[in-house]
Amino acid sequence: ESLVSTSTSARPREDEVQSKIRKVRAFGRNARVVCSALFALGLVVCVILVLVMLFGPFRESSSGNGGVFSIVTGLRTPLPLRVWTFLLMGVVVGVWLAAVYQLYRLFGNLAAGAIYTPENVRRVRYVGLLWLLWAMLGIVIPATLVVVHRLTDASVPLDLDRVAPSFSELLSSFVAAGLVLQVSWIMDVGLFAKEHADALERDAKLTI
């Protein structure tokens, strides 16, 4: 009788688990589509950057607003400053594309039903590291632009309020990166505990 009751109670639980897995897989498929669109958008931005750098509508520096785009398209912007600005923008877009790619692979695994795996732990960790790099770039890039702007003695205006993120934005980025890395660590510990428990269960079955 106890075996029958246990089997009866386990079946609704199994159905609930399978229902949640189907929802996770559906979410993974939809999220992967969004990541594909974001990745394509990033590639379009890269193409636009190259076209602007080569054939951009260059204008007088006095008409610029001190932002990155006005530096790249400024008619009086020295070539070293223009190249450095272009390269730094490329680095930002590259980090963003790398993070989106990691999310695309992660959601692809979820769509395939591979939810709690070592690869997913690594993907989440990579996203956290890339997010941390993104936050650090928020400090490094404005500082680099200021140094290059002064070294080239450029007459094009440079507005730090438009180039550098605010303190609250920087803090949010570092906190978010830390939280993602913390999640990856928790997933890693949980996966190790699960694998250890599965190994003990297999040993127990072999002993019996």
Side-chain angles (χ1 to χ4, degrees):
E1 182 180 353
S2 61
L3 291 176
V4 174
S5 61
T6 301
S7 176
T8 304
S9 60
R11 181 170 298 176
R13 177 60 178 170
E14 180 67 21
D15 293 340
E16 180 183 357
V17 171
Q18 292 300 322
S19 175
K20 291 181 178 179
I21 290 177
R22 287 193 294 270
K23 291 179 181 179
V24 170
R25 296 184 66 177
F27 170 77
R29 288 192 295 270
N30 295 331
R32 186 172 57 174
V33 172
V34 174
C35 288
S36 299
L38 291 176
F39 195 86
L41 178 62
L43 293 179
V44 170
V45 171
C46 291
V47 173
I48 292 176
L49 285 176
V50 174
L51 293 177
V52 168
M53 183 68 182
L54 297 177
F55 313 105
F58 301 117
R59 56 180 183 270
E60 292 292 334
S61 60
S62 59
S63 63
N65 56 13
V68 173
F69 186 76
S70 66
I71 294 175
V72 174
T73 59
L75 185 62
R76 298 180 181 177
T77 302
L79 182 59
L81 178 59
R82 195 191 308 277
V83 171
W84 266 104
T85 305
F86 174 78
L87 292 177
L88 292 174
M89 292 173 66
V91 170
V92 171
V93 175
V95 171
W96 184 71
L97 285 176
V100 172
Y101 175 74
Q102 294 298 328
L103 290 174
Y104 174 83
R105 294 296 301 272
L106 173 64
F107 293 134
N109 291 340
L110 297 181
I115 299 174
Y116 214 49
T117 64
E119 182 181 356
N120 286 351
V121 174
R122 289 194 300 270
R123 299 291 178 193
V124 175
R125 184 183 298 117
Y126 292 156
V127 171
L129 292 175
L130 288 169
W131 206 325
L132 180 62
L133 178 58
W134 177 281
M136 294 174 62
L137 288 176
I139 300 175
V140 173
I141 287 180
T144 304
L145 284 178
V146 169
V147 171
V148 177
H149 186 270
R150 292 181 177 178
L151 289 178
T152 57
D153 195 22
S155 60
V156 63
L158 176 63
D159 188 354
L160 282 180
D161 291 335
R162 294 180 177 274
V163 175
S166 64
F167 176 77
S168 61
E169 291 173 340
L170 279 175
L171 182 61
S172 299
S173 296
F174 279 105
V175 170
L179 289 176
V180 174
L181 290 174
Q182 183 74 10
V183 168
S184 70
W185 177 76
I186 293 173
M187 290 177 62
D188 193 20
V189 173
L191 183 60
F192 174 79
K194 178 179 179 298
E195 292 176 346
H196 183 65
D198 291 342
L200 291 178
E201 183 179 356
R202 287 193 300 269
D203 292 341
K205 289 182 178 179
L206 291 174
T207 302
I208 296 174

